[in-house]
Short mmCIF file of all heavy atoms in Angstrom, two decimals:
data_model
loop_
_atom_site.label_atom_id
_atom_site.label_comp_id
_atom_site.label_asym_id
_atom_site.label_seq_id
_atom_site.Cartn_x
_atom_site.Cartn_y
_atom_site.Cartn_z
N PHE A 1 -4.05 -22.94 24.31
CA PHE A 1 -4.99 -23.79 23.33
C PHE A 1 -5.60 -24.95 24.14
O PHE A 1 -6.87 -25.12 23.89
CB PHE A 1 -4.06 -24.26 22.16
CG PHE A 1 -4.99 -24.91 21.13
CD1 PHE A 1 -5.59 -24.02 20.20
CD2 PHE A 1 -5.18 -26.18 21.02
CE1 PHE A 1 -6.38 -24.53 19.13
CE2 PHE A 1 -6.00 -26.71 20.05
CZ PHE A 1 -6.60 -25.95 19.17
N TRP A 2 -4.84 -25.57 24.91
CA TRP A 2 -5.35 -26.85 25.57
C TRP A 2 -6.00 -26.60 26.93
O TRP A 2 -6.95 -27.38 27.34
CB TRP A 2 -4.32 -27.95 25.64
CG TRP A 2 -3.85 -28.37 24.20
CD1 TRP A 2 -2.63 -28.07 23.68
CD2 TRP A 2 -4.61 -29.15 23.37
NE1 TRP A 2 -2.61 -28.61 22.44
CE2 TRP A 2 -3.72 -29.30 22.15
CE3 TRP A 2 -5.92 -29.74 23.36
CZ2 TRP A 2 -4.24 -30.01 21.13
CZ3 TRP A 2 -6.21 -30.42 22.23
CH2 TRP A 2 -5.42 -30.55 21.06
N ARG A 3 -5.48 -25.67 27.73
CA ARG A 3 -6.06 -25.41 28.96
C ARG A 3 -7.33 -24.52 28.98
O ARG A 3 -8.14 -24.61 29.84
CB ARG A 3 -5.09 -24.86 29.92
CG ARG A 3 -5.45 -24.68 31.33
CD ARG A 3 -4.31 -24.19 32.24
NE ARG A 3 -3.37 -25.21 32.42
CZ ARG A 3 -2.24 -25.07 33.23
NH1 ARG A 3 -2.04 -23.86 33.84
NH2 ARG A 3 -1.38 -26.01 33.38
N TYR A 4 -7.36 -23.51 28.07
CA TYR A 4 -8.42 -22.56 28.07
C TYR A 4 -9.35 -22.74 26.79
O TYR A 4 -9.49 -21.85 26.06
CB TYR A 4 -7.89 -21.16 28.16
CG TYR A 4 -7.09 -20.99 29.41
CD1 TYR A 4 -5.75 -21.02 29.40
CD2 TYR A 4 -7.72 -20.85 30.67
CE1 TYR A 4 -5.01 -20.89 30.56
CE2 TYR A 4 -7.03 -20.73 31.84
CZ TYR A 4 -5.69 -20.76 31.81
OH TYR A 4 -4.92 -20.69 32.89
N LYS A 5 -9.95 -23.92 26.73
CA LYS A 5 -10.85 -24.18 25.61
C LYS A 5 -12.08 -23.37 25.55
O LYS A 5 -12.69 -23.27 24.58
CB LYS A 5 -11.15 -25.67 25.54
CG LYS A 5 -10.01 -26.57 25.33
CD LYS A 5 -10.37 -28.03 25.26
CE LYS A 5 -9.24 -29.01 25.00
NZ LYS A 5 -9.52 -30.39 24.95
N GLY A 6 -12.47 -22.86 26.72
CA GLY A 6 -13.67 -22.05 26.82
C GLY A 6 -13.39 -20.58 26.45
O GLY A 6 -14.34 -19.77 26.50
N LEU A 7 -12.19 -20.23 26.22
CA LEU A 7 -11.78 -18.87 25.92
C LEU A 7 -11.23 -18.81 24.49
O LEU A 7 -10.01 -18.85 24.29
CB LEU A 7 -10.85 -18.27 26.90
CG LEU A 7 -11.30 -18.07 28.32
CD1 LEU A 7 -10.13 -17.78 29.29
CD2 LEU A 7 -12.46 -17.07 28.49
N ALA A 8 -12.11 -18.58 23.45
CA ALA A 8 -11.73 -18.71 22.13
C ALA A 8 -10.77 -17.52 21.72
O ALA A 8 -9.74 -17.79 20.98
CB ALA A 8 -13.02 -18.51 21.15
N GLU A 9 -10.92 -16.36 22.38
CA GLU A 9 -9.95 -15.28 22.11
C GLU A 9 -8.56 -15.61 22.54
O GLU A 9 -7.55 -15.41 21.87
CB GLU A 9 -10.44 -14.01 22.81
CG GLU A 9 -9.57 -12.72 22.49
CD GLU A 9 -9.95 -11.71 23.35
OE1 GLU A 9 -10.40 -11.76 24.53
OE2 GLU A 9 -9.67 -10.48 22.92
N LEU A 10 -8.45 -16.20 23.73
CA LEU A 10 -7.20 -16.52 24.26
C LEU A 10 -6.46 -17.66 23.38
O LEU A 10 -5.30 -17.63 23.18
CB LEU A 10 -7.25 -16.97 25.67
CG LEU A 10 -6.08 -16.87 26.63
CD1 LEU A 10 -5.58 -15.47 26.66
CD2 LEU A 10 -6.38 -17.29 28.06
N ARG A 11 -7.28 -18.59 23.06
CA ARG A 11 -6.79 -19.68 22.15
C ARG A 11 -6.18 -19.17 20.83
O ARG A 11 -5.15 -19.55 20.31
CB ARG A 11 -7.79 -20.69 21.87
CG ARG A 11 -8.25 -21.42 23.19
CD ARG A 11 -9.33 -22.57 22.71
NE ARG A 11 -8.61 -23.79 22.36
CZ ARG A 11 -9.26 -24.77 21.68
NH1 ARG A 11 -10.53 -24.73 21.39
NH2 ARG A 11 -8.53 -25.93 21.50
N ALA A 12 -6.98 -18.14 20.28
CA ALA A 12 -6.57 -17.63 19.00
C ALA A 12 -5.30 -16.77 19.23
O ALA A 12 -4.41 -16.84 18.30
CB ALA A 12 -7.68 -16.75 18.47
N LEU A 13 -5.09 -16.07 20.27
CA LEU A 13 -3.97 -15.31 20.50
C LEU A 13 -2.79 -16.24 20.65
O LEU A 13 -1.69 -16.00 20.22
CB LEU A 13 -4.17 -14.47 21.72
CG LEU A 13 -5.10 -13.29 21.65
CD1 LEU A 13 -5.38 -12.55 22.99
CD2 LEU A 13 -4.46 -12.23 20.61
N GLY A 14 -3.01 -17.36 21.39
CA GLY A 14 -1.92 -18.33 21.64
C GLY A 14 -1.42 -18.95 20.27
O GLY A 14 -0.25 -19.08 19.99
N VAL A 15 -2.37 -19.34 19.39
CA VAL A 15 -2.05 -19.86 18.12
C VAL A 15 -1.26 -18.81 17.24
O VAL A 15 -0.32 -19.15 16.56
CB VAL A 15 -3.28 -20.42 17.44
CG1 VAL A 15 -2.93 -20.74 15.87
CG2 VAL A 15 -3.93 -21.59 18.12
N SER A 16 -1.76 -17.60 17.22
CA SER A 16 -1.13 -16.51 16.54
C SER A 16 0.26 -16.31 16.98
O SER A 16 1.20 -16.14 16.21
CB SER A 16 -1.94 -15.21 16.63
OG SER A 16 -3.24 -15.35 16.15
N ALA A 17 0.49 -16.32 18.32
CA ALA A 17 1.76 -16.03 18.79
C ALA A 17 2.76 -17.20 18.43
O ALA A 17 3.91 -16.93 17.94
CB ALA A 17 1.72 -16.05 20.36
N VAL A 18 2.40 -18.38 18.46
CA VAL A 18 3.22 -19.60 18.04
C VAL A 18 3.51 -19.41 16.51
O VAL A 18 4.68 -19.64 16.18
CB VAL A 18 2.60 -20.93 18.42
CG1 VAL A 18 3.46 -22.02 17.82
CG2 VAL A 18 2.47 -21.06 19.88
N THR A 19 2.42 -19.22 15.76
CA THR A 19 2.72 -19.12 14.32
C THR A 19 3.65 -17.97 13.98
O THR A 19 4.59 -18.23 13.14
CB THR A 19 1.33 -18.87 13.67
OG1 THR A 19 0.51 -19.90 13.98
CG2 THR A 19 1.54 -18.82 12.08
N LEU A 20 3.52 -16.89 14.54
CA LEU A 20 4.37 -15.68 14.23
C LEU A 20 5.82 -15.98 14.69
O LEU A 20 6.76 -15.59 14.00
CB LEU A 20 3.81 -14.42 14.93
CG LEU A 20 2.57 -13.82 14.27
CD1 LEU A 20 2.05 -12.72 15.22
CD2 LEU A 20 2.91 -13.14 13.00
N CYS A 21 5.97 -16.70 15.84
CA CYS A 21 7.30 -16.93 16.33
C CYS A 21 8.01 -17.96 15.43
O CYS A 21 9.22 -17.85 15.20
CB CYS A 21 7.15 -17.43 17.83
SG CYS A 21 8.72 -17.41 18.74
N LEU A 22 7.28 -18.92 15.00
CA LEU A 22 7.84 -19.90 14.08
C LEU A 22 8.30 -19.29 12.80
O LEU A 22 9.42 -19.59 12.33
CB LEU A 22 6.89 -21.08 13.84
CG LEU A 22 7.35 -22.19 12.89
CD1 LEU A 22 8.58 -22.85 13.43
CD2 LEU A 22 6.26 -23.19 12.62
N LEU A 23 7.48 -18.41 12.29
CA LEU A 23 7.77 -17.76 11.08
C LEU A 23 8.93 -16.78 11.25
O LEU A 23 9.81 -16.57 10.37
CB LEU A 23 6.60 -16.96 10.50
CG LEU A 23 5.41 -17.87 9.95
CD1 LEU A 23 4.23 -16.89 9.63
CD2 LEU A 23 5.90 -18.64 8.72
N GLN A 24 9.06 -16.26 12.50
CA GLN A 24 10.13 -15.33 12.84
C GLN A 24 11.53 -16.16 12.86
O GLN A 24 12.49 -15.71 12.30
CB GLN A 24 9.84 -14.74 14.22
CG GLN A 24 11.03 -14.01 14.82
CD GLN A 24 11.39 -12.66 14.07
OE1 GLN A 24 10.53 -12.34 13.16
NE2 GLN A 24 12.37 -11.99 14.49
N VAL A 25 11.50 -17.37 13.39
CA VAL A 25 12.67 -18.25 13.47
C VAL A 25 13.12 -18.52 11.97
O VAL A 25 14.26 -18.41 11.58
CB VAL A 25 12.40 -19.49 14.12
CG1 VAL A 25 13.59 -20.43 13.97
CG2 VAL A 25 12.24 -19.19 15.66
N LEU A 26 12.08 -18.94 11.15
CA LEU A 26 12.46 -19.25 9.71
C LEU A 26 12.96 -17.99 8.98
O LEU A 26 13.82 -18.18 8.07
CB LEU A 26 11.20 -19.76 9.05
CG LEU A 26 10.70 -21.16 9.63
CD1 LEU A 26 9.38 -21.49 8.93
CD2 LEU A 26 11.79 -22.22 9.41
N SER A 27 12.40 -16.88 9.21
CA SER A 27 12.91 -15.67 8.53
C SER A 27 14.23 -15.30 8.99
O SER A 27 15.05 -14.76 8.24
CB SER A 27 11.89 -14.48 8.85
OG SER A 27 11.97 -14.08 10.22
N GLY A 28 14.63 -15.65 10.26
CA GLY A 28 15.94 -15.32 10.76
C GLY A 28 16.97 -16.23 9.96
O GLY A 28 18.05 -15.85 9.68
N ALA A 29 16.58 -17.49 9.72
CA ALA A 29 17.40 -18.49 9.04
C ALA A 29 17.57 -17.89 7.58
O ALA A 29 18.61 -17.91 6.94
CB ALA A 29 16.81 -19.77 8.90
N ALA A 30 16.41 -17.40 6.96
CA ALA A 30 16.53 -16.71 5.71
C ALA A 30 17.38 -15.58 5.52
O ALA A 30 18.17 -15.32 4.56
CB ALA A 30 15.05 -16.37 5.17
N VAL A 31 17.45 -14.65 6.63
CA VAL A 31 18.33 -13.51 6.73
C VAL A 31 19.81 -14.03 6.57
O VAL A 31 20.59 -13.48 5.77
CB VAL A 31 18.13 -12.83 7.94
CG1 VAL A 31 19.38 -11.83 8.19
CG2 VAL A 31 16.87 -12.03 7.96
N VAL A 32 20.11 -15.08 7.33
CA VAL A 32 21.51 -15.60 7.22
C VAL A 32 21.85 -16.21 5.88
O VAL A 32 22.99 -15.82 5.29
CB VAL A 32 21.66 -16.75 8.33
CG1 VAL A 32 23.08 -17.43 8.20
CG2 VAL A 32 21.49 -16.22 9.68
N HIS A 33 21.03 -16.83 5.18
CA HIS A 33 21.30 -17.48 3.92
C HIS A 33 21.22 -16.53 2.77
O HIS A 33 21.64 -16.92 1.74
CB HIS A 33 20.38 -18.72 3.76
CG HIS A 33 20.59 -19.85 4.66
ND1 HIS A 33 21.83 -20.59 4.63
CD2 HIS A 33 19.85 -20.50 5.65
CE1 HIS A 33 21.89 -21.53 5.55
NE2 HIS A 33 20.64 -21.42 6.20
N THR A 34 20.61 -15.39 2.99
CA THR A 34 20.52 -14.38 1.77
C THR A 34 21.41 -13.16 2.09
O THR A 34 21.33 -12.18 1.36
CB THR A 34 19.16 -13.96 1.67
OG1 THR A 34 18.70 -13.27 2.84
CG2 THR A 34 18.18 -15.12 1.36
N LEU A 35 22.25 -13.33 3.17
CA LEU A 35 23.04 -12.14 3.60
C LEU A 35 23.85 -11.52 2.45
O LEU A 35 24.02 -10.29 2.41
CB LEU A 35 23.95 -12.58 4.70
CG LEU A 35 24.75 -11.38 5.43
CD1 LEU A 35 23.71 -10.41 6.07
CD2 LEU A 35 25.64 -12.00 6.53
N TYR A 36 24.38 -12.36 1.58
CA TYR A 36 25.23 -11.85 0.43
C TYR A 36 24.48 -11.76 -0.85
O TYR A 36 25.14 -11.74 -1.89
CB TYR A 36 26.51 -12.75 0.35
CG TYR A 36 27.31 -12.67 1.69
CD1 TYR A 36 27.28 -13.75 2.51
CD2 TYR A 36 28.00 -11.51 2.15
CE1 TYR A 36 27.97 -13.66 3.75
CE2 TYR A 36 28.67 -11.45 3.28
CZ TYR A 36 28.62 -12.53 4.12
OH TYR A 36 29.32 -12.49 5.36
N ASN A 37 23.19 -11.87 -0.85
CA ASN A 37 22.35 -11.61 -1.96
C ASN A 37 21.48 -10.44 -1.78
O ASN A 37 20.41 -10.58 -1.12
CB ASN A 37 21.51 -12.91 -2.28
CG ASN A 37 20.73 -12.93 -3.58
OD1 ASN A 37 20.34 -11.85 -3.99
ND2 ASN A 37 20.56 -13.92 -4.15
N GLU A 38 21.84 -9.31 -2.24
CA GLU A 38 21.13 -8.07 -1.85
C GLU A 38 19.73 -8.07 -2.22
O GLU A 38 18.80 -7.60 -1.47
CB GLU A 38 21.92 -6.85 -2.60
CG GLU A 38 23.23 -6.63 -2.01
CD GLU A 38 23.82 -5.40 -2.62
OE1 GLU A 38 23.14 -4.69 -3.44
OE2 GLU A 38 25.02 -5.09 -2.31
N ARG A 39 19.35 -8.66 -3.31
CA ARG A 39 17.96 -8.66 -3.84
C ARG A 39 16.99 -9.52 -2.82
O ARG A 39 15.92 -9.03 -2.55
CB ARG A 39 17.85 -9.20 -5.17
CG ARG A 39 18.51 -8.28 -6.25
CD ARG A 39 18.32 -8.82 -7.63
NE ARG A 39 18.86 -7.94 -8.60
CZ ARG A 39 18.86 -8.21 -9.92
NH1 ARG A 39 18.22 -9.30 -10.40
NH2 ARG A 39 19.36 -7.34 -10.80
N LEU A 40 17.49 -10.56 -2.42
CA LEU A 40 16.69 -11.40 -1.50
C LEU A 40 16.86 -11.05 -0.05
O LEU A 40 15.91 -11.10 0.67
CB LEU A 40 17.15 -12.90 -1.71
CG LEU A 40 16.91 -13.52 -3.05
CD1 LEU A 40 17.42 -14.97 -3.08
CD2 LEU A 40 15.43 -13.51 -3.41
N TYR A 41 18.03 -10.58 0.34
CA TYR A 41 18.23 -10.14 1.71
C TYR A 41 17.30 -9.13 2.26
O TYR A 41 16.86 -9.22 3.34
CB TYR A 41 19.73 -9.69 1.96
CG TYR A 41 19.93 -9.07 3.25
CD1 TYR A 41 20.09 -9.89 4.39
CD2 TYR A 41 20.06 -7.68 3.51
CE1 TYR A 41 20.33 -9.28 5.67
CE2 TYR A 41 20.27 -7.24 4.78
CZ TYR A 41 20.34 -8.03 5.82
OH TYR A 41 20.59 -7.47 7.02
N ILE A 42 17.07 -8.13 1.47
CA ILE A 42 16.12 -7.07 1.87
C ILE A 42 14.75 -7.49 2.21
O ILE A 42 14.14 -7.11 3.25
CB ILE A 42 16.04 -5.89 0.84
CG1 ILE A 42 15.27 -4.70 1.29
CG2 ILE A 42 15.44 -6.47 -0.44
CD1 ILE A 42 15.94 -3.93 2.47
N PHE A 43 14.22 -8.50 1.47
CA PHE A 43 12.92 -9.06 1.77
C PHE A 43 12.94 -9.90 3.01
O PHE A 43 12.01 -9.87 3.81
CB PHE A 43 12.42 -9.89 0.62
CG PHE A 43 12.14 -9.10 -0.71
CD1 PHE A 43 13.05 -9.06 -1.80
CD2 PHE A 43 11.00 -8.30 -0.79
CE1 PHE A 43 12.76 -8.37 -2.88
CE2 PHE A 43 10.76 -7.56 -1.87
CZ PHE A 43 11.63 -7.57 -2.94
N ALA A 44 14.01 -10.71 3.11
CA ALA A 44 14.06 -11.52 4.27
C ALA A 44 14.35 -10.70 5.63
O ALA A 44 13.62 -10.97 6.69
CB ALA A 44 15.39 -12.55 4.23
#
């Protein structure tokens, strides 16, 4: 994002990767906290 300001595609891919990875971490936490709740666990 900061080094390749002239490459919009690369910046977009970088932002997408960080966003997906952050959501992935949060979904991992959701898996742990819904482990014994079958209805919520499947979605997490």
Side-chain angles (χ1 to χ4, degrees):
F1 190 83
W2 294 108
R3 181 176 292 182
Y4 299 103
K5 295 183 178 181
L7 295 173
E9 181 191 27
L10 203 57
R11 297 183 85 194
L13 289 170
V15 170
S16 298
V18 173
T19 302
L20 288 168
C21 196
L22 178 59
L23 291 174
Q24 172 69 5
V25 171
L26 295 176
S27 69
V31 166
V32 174
H33 290 296
T34 61
L35 189 59
Y36 301 104
N37 186 327
E38 292 184 3
R39 292 184 178 181
L40 295 178
Y41 171 74
I42 186 68
F43 292 105

